[in-house]
Amino acid sequence: MREKTVMRLDSASEMTLTQQIRWVARLTVPAILAEITSIAMQYIDAAMVGSLGERASAAIGLVSSSTWLLGGLSISLATGFSVQVAHLTGAGRDAEARNVLRQALLAALACGFLLALAGAGLSGSLPRALGGAADVCPDASRYFLIYALALPASQLRQLSGGMLQCSGDMRTPSLLNAAMCGLDVVFNGLLIFPSRSLDLWGAALTIPGAGLGVAGAALGTALAEYVTAGLMVWAVCVRSPRLRLTGGGSWRLQAPCLRTALRVALPMALEHSVLCSAQVASTAIVAPLGTVAVAANALAVTAESLCYAPGYGLSSAATALVGQSLGAGRKDLARRFAGIAVWMGVAIMSAMGVLMFFLAPWMFSLLTPAAAVRELGASVLRIEAFAEPLFAVSIVAAGAMRGAGDTLVPSVLNLVSMWGVRITAAALLAPRFGLAG
């Protein structure tokens, strides 16, 4: 790992606007690539499962909002500790940052196993509670159960990647997340479909397969998560120039560190809970509209997620830059970095929204062969395109505020907007206008 991939602000002098923009871009590009690989995994799962029919797509779509809820709780814990690392490395206090890492690893293991147990316990009854059709619920239950059992690995991967990013190393987590995407393709191909023969230039080639369908998609992703989590932990604990764990540190849990982590993580967990519980409520509103609507809604969310990649990449960069700037005592730099990141997010996601509007039919052609799902999904995706500019503000500003340790305000704003506007309006409009409502 080359030292130039690691950002330091503890010795920064005055920076021009051009230098600040370049610094934001340098951290954002690998973060965006990491987001794209994560989204690519969603596209891969959706496309591979979608080839099995609309019922298989509906099974995953039915529980997708619930998987986001558990995943969001994992991200909240990771952020609670990684923001502390950003502040400490920004101040040049690397030894203290390594002690935070030690405590974070212990907390992540405990939290991951608790979330896995909770998810496994809910897996049998959740699809029925969401109003899923009788022929969809069994596959949905199996998918959610397998996803839940992979949460310890997901927690460690997110924590380790967040630690690397907040210490200034964006490249390593980007590369490992890209590798996870490749593993997902391989594992899914082996587990979703049955063994099949392929005619390759006149020679019959047998491709092995387990034929597990929807459960195979979940298993493929879970295996990719476990392999990548191991590599990510190794990268932060052994290879990181600033965070690698050497002798002499303490693994004892310390109250100040845990209190700070909870102060950051709890509002963020509330925010994710508000967002994802609203998605769960939205799923319950959509479910009575039928299997086609559930599948189209789920695939539209997957297709739209491509627009989020620049926003979340800039959000990660803003968290690291604002956190390290404040750790270095540079509030002026923190403010400027936050403003630059927000405006870059608006510009890029606005352009992505325009592309999504015009390319919606083509995007759906990649995700499902079902004509009814493709037509309905493309129409609602075009409606969602108009939200992208202000979605950028929401995503990137929240990342900047996380870098400053403030997660309460974004949580309150999301609570009001999601439950006061989105769910209320959807409940009123969906029965009259269908999925478009």
Side-chain angles (χ1 to χ4, degrees):
M1 185 181 301
R2 294 176 295 180
E3 184 67 27
K4 71 177 183 180
T5 65
V6 180
M7 178 195 69
R8 299 187 72 106
L9 286 177
D10 48 302
S11 59
S13 58
E14 291 301 319
M15 301 175 67
T16 66
L17 178 62
T18 300
Q19 289 173 325
Q20 292 162 24
I21 293 173
R22 286 175 179 170
W23 211 330
V24 173
R26 183 165 65 88
L27 291 188
T28 298
V29 170
I32 289 176
L33 293 176
E35 289 294 331
I36 289 175
T37 57
S38 176
I39 292 164
M41 288 180 66
Q42 299 176 37
Y43 270 76
I44 291 164
D45 283 356
M48 287 184 163
V49 173
S51 67
L52 302 178
E54 61 190 39
R55 190 176 70 182
S57 294
I60 294 180
L62 185 64
V63 296
S64 61
S65 53
S66 302
T67 63
W68 296 337
L69 174 58
L70 294 180
L73 296 177
S74 298
I75 293 172
S76 301
L77 180 73
T79 302
F81 287 102
S82 59
V83 165
Q84 296 181 66
V85 167
H87 290 176
L88 291 169
T89 55
R93 296 154 62 185
D94 291 358
E96 294 176 59
R98 288 192 287 272
N99 283 335
V100 171
L101 172 59
R102 291 183 177 91
Q103 295 175 74
L105 290 171
L106 296 177
L109 283 172
C111 182
F113 281 113
L114 287 175
L115 289 176
L117 288 174
L122 290 171
S123 61
S125 58
L126 179 64
R128 292 192 299 273
L130 293 174
D135 58 345
V136 170
C137 286
D139 276 342
S141 291
R142 284 190 286 270
Y143 185 89
F144 190 75
L145 172 62
I146 296 167
Y147 171 86
L149 295 178
L151 282 170
S154 178
Q155 178 73 85
L156 286 173
R157 177 182 62 81
Q158 290 165 349
L159 173 72
S160 301
M163 290 290 184
L164 290 167
Q165 289 173 347
C166 284
S167 69
D169 179 5
M170 293 289 197
R171 188 180 65 172
T172 300
S174 299
L175 292 174
L176 290 178
N177 283 320
M180 182 171 69
C181 182
L183 290 172
D184 190 41
V185 173
V186 174
F187 291 144
N188 277 2
L190 294 174
L191 295 171
I192 293 176
F193 307 106
S195 297
R196 54 211 181 276
S197 295
L198 179 66
D199 187 6
L200 190 64
W201 297 298
L205 177 65
T206 300
I207 301 175
L212 298 177
V214 171
L219 278 171
T221 301
L223 289 172
E225 281 278 15
Y226 271 100
V227 172
T228 309
L231 293 172
M232 200 78 81
V233 171
W234 175 79
V236 72
C237 294
V238 178
R239 294 284 296 170
S240 172
R242 305 191 69 176
L243 295 177
R244 57 175 171 246
L245 300 182
T246 56
S250 173
W251 288 86
R252 180 183 302 174
L253 296 176
Q254 299 172 1
C257 178
L258 295 179
R259 280 198 299 267
T260 302
L262 289 175
R263 180 174 58 81
V264 174
L266 287 179
M268 192 175 173
L270 174 62
E271 178 187 358
H272 281 292
S273 298
V274 166
L275 291 172
C276 294
S277 59
Q279 291 284 4
V280 172
S282 179
T283 301
I285 292 170
V286 171
L289 302 177
T291 300
V292 171
V294 172
N297 182 63
L299 292 177
V301 172
T302 298
E304 186 189 10
S305 62
L306 185 61
C307 284
Y308 303 161
Y312 283 114
L314 281 158
S315 178
S316 296
T319 298
L321 287 165
V322 169
Q324 289 213 17
S325 296
L326 292 175
R330 296 294 306 274
K331 291 184 179 180
D332 58 326
L333 266 183
R335 293 190 185 97
R336 289 201 296 271
F337 278 136
I340 290 168
V342 168
W343 283 111
M344 287 177 66
V346 170
I348 296 172
M349 286 186 63
S350 296
M352 295 288 288
V354 172
L355 289 174
M356 186 172 75
F357 183 88
F358 289 105
L359 297 179
W362 174 77
M363 294 170 74
F364 262 83
S365 71
L366 300 177
L367 297 175
T368 178
V373 175
R374 289 162 65 170
E375 181 179 355
L376 180 58
S379 67
V380 297
L381 188 60
R382 282 176 163 162
I383 296 173
E384 293 168 4
F386 290 93
E388 302 311 313
L390 293 179
F391 219 145
V393 176
S394 173
I395 293 170
V396 183
M401 296 178 77
R402 281 196 295 271
D406 181 3
T407 53
L408 179 60
V409 171
S411 302
V412 173
L413 292 176
N414 276 309
L415 173 64
V416 173
S417 65
M418 290 297 289
W419 284 97
V421 179
R422 178 174 181 171
I423 297 304
T424 301
L428 293 173
L429 296 174
R432 183 176 180 181
F433 298 105
L435 189 58

